Amino acid sequence: MTLPDHIKIEATRDLTDLVAIPSVSARVDGLDACADKVAALLADAGFQTAIEPGDVGPFVTGEIGEGPFTLVIYNHYDVQPEEPVNLWTAPPFSLTERHGALFGRGAADDKGEFVSRIAGWRLFRERHPGPLPFRLIWIVEGEEEIGSPSLVRFLEKRYAGLQADLCWWEFGEVDTRGRPVVLMGFKGVLAIELSVRTARADLHSSLGAIFDNPLWRLASAVASMRDAAGRVLIKGFYEGIEPDRATRELAASPPFPLEDLMAATGGAKASWRRDAIQLLRAPQLRTLPERQRYPWRIRWRWHEDGPARDRDRQARFSSRPWTEPQSRR
């Protein structure tokens, strides 16, 4: 489907305005202004809107329609910090076009996705202007990039008892053939933090040959969690995650080759085995940070008095949707 020119022009203007607002939740910067802009766009599109406070950034809601079916659309307007700025080709909060693509902080994840949905909604309403025969709730938050600390409490208060029939999450993709990809489920996440302390205080460097630096302890602990092929070695980690028959059949014939992902990202080495079933079944164990453009580096931090007394490292476990959460301990 091709959008009419007037809707494309509107969408580009809307995205330009949103990207220009530096709504960085980690700095609590620009969140109120961006929430106001999102609410204005939803109101202009025909939604009954409201702005409600969160712990860090406001929640924006838009509602329209009535009926037995309830669709929830979720987006977020906050973005990651723009640093390091020197790696940007153009100013991060100025939308620019290069080679037929739009660039700017939030153009992807998630202001661009929000604007694209608004554009699709406008075209839908031009062709179907009558009453909407189902309930549509649009939720746009300003805290996603810092872990959505108040999302659950907001939902429990604002939509207590609501059981939606479908939730359309924040983003979408197209494959290498230009076909939209519809993701029908996501992995769950369990995050843990490993901490090691080897002394009461930072030690003088002369004791470095006597006492283990905590970094070595942490490196050994993290390395012990999986083997060279990427299989997690924690006892019981793979129990209770067998996919059903329909899921196995879908995984056996993926709509696009998994190698396409490597080609699109430039990933040098895939951690999964190339059997689609194994990829589907296997939970993942990742260390943070998740973004892996830069090589890992272990930095020794020596104080005047020697190696620091403690270190920490976060790890994230990803399980499949059919995993029972209570069994992951």
Side-chain angles (χ1 to χ4, degrees):
M1 180 182 68
T2 302
L3 288 174
D5 288 342
H6 70 282
I7 291 182
K8 288 183 181 178
I9 292 171
E10 280 186 291
T12 303
R13 179 199 63 206
D14 294 340
L15 186 56
T16 299
D17 293 343
L18 284 174
V19 169
I21 303 172
S23 50
V24 180
S25 50
R27 296 197 301 253
V28 196
D29 186 15
L31 301 180
D32 290 337
C34 204
D36 290 340
K37 179 61 179 178
V38 168
L41 290 174
L42 288 172
D44 182 66
F47 288 81
Q48 186 173 6
T49 62
I51 298 179
E52 300 188 29
D55 289 353
V56 177
F59 291 89
V60 182
T61 60
E63 298 191 33
I64 192 173
E66 294 182 1
F69 186 90
T70 299
L71 168 64
V72 172
I73 300 178
Y74 169 89
N75 287 100
H76 65 90
Y77 60 81
D78 63 318
V79 298
Q80 286 280 344
E82 69 279 16
E83 292 89 1
V85 177
N86 64 301
L87 295 181
W88 286 80
T89 302
F93 296 109
S94 178
L95 190 70
T96 58
E97 181 177 354
R98 296 193 303 276
H99 311 298
L102 297 173
F103 294 84
R105 175 57 90 219
D109 194 17
D110 186 46
K111 295 175 178 180
E113 287 82 355
F114 170 71
V115 167
S116 69
R117 292 175 179 186
I118 287 284
W121 170 257
R122 286 171 176 155
L123 179 59
F124 172 77
R125 294 303 280 171
E126 281 187 5
R127 297 179 178 179
H128 306 279
L132 201 65
F134 60 90
R135 185 183 183 190
L136 174 55
I137 301 172
W138 206 322
I139 300 172
V140 191
E141 72 158 314
E143 303 176 343
E144 194 273 347
E145 297 291 3
I146 55 171
S148 302
S150 54
L151 177 60
V152 172
R153 278 181 280 114
F154 164 74
L155 293 175
E156 290 174 342
K157 179 181 177 181
R158 180 70 172 79
Y159 296 106
L162 174 67
Q163 183 65 54
D165 297 284
L166 182 66
C167 179
W168 187 13
W169 205 239
E170 65 182 85
F171 63 92
E173 305 174 35
V174 293
D175 65 15
T176 56
R177 297 165 180 80
R179 299 177 302 178
V181 176
V182 178
L183 303 173
M184 301 302 294
F186 295 90
K187 298 183 292 291
V189 173
L190 168 66
I192 66 170
E193 183 172 301
L194 306 178
S195 297
V196 176
R197 174 169 292 189
T198 58
R200 287 193 301 270
D202 292 349
L203 302 178
H204 189 274
S205 58
S206 64
L207 300 176
I210 301 174
F211 298 108
D212 235 358
N213 190 301
L215 278 174
W216 290 121
R217 299 282 187 91
L218 281 171
S220 296
V222 172
S224 72
M225 293 183 182
R226 50 175 256 174
D227 62 20
R231 181 172 178 79
V232 179
L233 301 177
I234 299 172
K235 185 178 180 180
F237 192 79
Y238 292 99
E239 295 177 1
I241 57 170
E242 187 66 26
D244 57 28
R245 178 180 177 182
T247 303
R248 290 196 301 269
E249 291 176 352
L250 286 172
S253 302
F256 56 91
L258 296 175
E259 286 78 9
D260 286 359
L261 183 60
M262 296 181 68
T265 61
K269 180 181 179 182
S271 60
W272 36 265
R273 290 173 290 277
R274 304 205 173 202
D275 184 300
I277 298 294
Q278 292 299 321
L279 170 63
L280 181 73
R281 292 178 57 186
Q284 300 168 356
L285 172 59
R286 297 172 291 164
T287 54
L288 300 184
E290 294 180 29
R291 288 167 175 79
Q292 297 180 9
R293 176 176 173 183
Y294 302 103
W296 279 98
R297 289 174 293 183
I298 295 179
R299 293 184 176 178
W300 298 91
R301 186 185 64 168
W302 291 83
H303 289 243
E304 289 184 10
D305 293 328
R309 63 181 177 176
D310 54 16
R311 290 287 187 273
D312 58 60
R313 166 64 67 204
Q314 291 182 323
R316 176 169 292 183
F317 297 91
S318 298
S319 59
R320 297 302 173 187
W322 51 82
T323 303
E324 292 295 330
Q326 62 268 24
S327 68
R328 294 281 152 235
R329 302 188 187 279

